[in-house]
Amino acid sequence: MVARSPAVTATADSWRREPFTNGVALRYRASFDEAEFARLREGLVPVVMEDKWFVYYDEPYLFFHRSWTGLPVYRIELKVTPAGAKVVEALWSTQLADAPGADLEYEAKLLDFLLRNLLLGQSRPFPRPAGLVEPMPGVFQHHVSGTGYPESPPRQDKRLHKPWWRFW
């Protein structure tokens, strides 16, 4: 679903981007074996317009930027372990976290989806935010990730979320 160029390892200079300056902590922890850690270090350089993310590793951080704007979204700190690596900190850009309707729990789920599907090639369902109203199924997912995976149901709560077209 996402075009990958296996011969290219992403670096900070592989794509136009804004620097990640500060963020809000997300409750996200994960561990990766050596093969998965190697794939994370390769990152992701957009190839076609539908590729919504530029991801690169600059030890000890894995950075996620929107491909069209270069805006920073996530920064994950990875610690090398005997088995591979583990996440010791995950941050969501303060600029986005300060927006009305920000949902840290949802962002942790979205980060996991992006990391596992776009970088590790797994097939996890797309987390659907609560209260999302979209004109056609899959439009929000395509806008956020450029993918068409099955969607998981949203968590049940009554909070209002900002419209899908104002996330980025």
Side-chain angles (χ1 to χ4, degrees):
M1 302 221 177
V2 173
R4 286 187 63 99
S5 178
V8 175
T9 296
T11 68
D13 297 326
S14 297
W15 200 256
R16 176 181 54 92
R17 65 176 174 78
E18 303 279 329
F20 191 103
T21 54
N22 51 31
V24 173
L26 295 175
R27 290 186 182 191
Y28 178 72
R29 297 293 182 265
S31 296
F32 307 99
D33 64 28
E34 289 181 22
E36 291 171 331
F37 185 39
R39 288 189 76 180
L40 295 179
R41 290 191 311 262
E42 289 176 8
L44 180 65
V45 178
V47 177
V48 296
M49 189 170 109
E50 288 77 14
D51 294 342
K52 309 293 186 190
W53 294 94
F54 165 55
V55 182
Y56 70 95
Y57 180 72
D58 189 3
E59 190 175 356
Y61 301 111
L62 185 65
F63 293 92
F64 285 72
H65 294 262
R66 293 296 285 179
S67 66
W68 288 15
T69 63
L71 290 176
V73 180
Y74 304 110
R75 185 183 81 186
I76 301 172
E77 183 177 356
L78 295 164
K79 180 180 180 183
V80 177
T81 66
K86 66 179 182 177
V87 174
V88 294
E89 180 182 59
L91 299 178
W92 182 31
S93 170
T94 302
Q95 178 183 1
L96 298 171
D98 286 345
D103 183 344
L104 296 176
E105 183 180 332
Y106 176 76
E107 289 303 321
K109 290 177 184 177
L110 180 58
L111 173 59
D112 187 63
F113 169 85
L114 295 170
L115 191 146
R116 296 191 181 278
N117 288 15
L118 301 184
L119 297 175
L120 298 180
Q122 298 174 1
S123 184
R124 302 275 175 101
F126 181 81
R128 187 176 171 82
L132 176 67
V133 177
E134 57 184 333
M136 293 175 29
V139 171
F140 177 73
Q141 180 184 164
H142 179 75
H143 167 73
V144 171
S145 65
T147 61
Y149 290 94
E151 297 184 356
S152 64
R155 63 187 162 100
Q156 299 300 313
D157 71 29
K158 303 294 182 194
R159 295 186 309 165
L160 295 176
H161 293 279
K162 58 187 167 185
W164 67 268
W165 61 88
R166 295 176 63 191
F167 263 75
W168 312 110

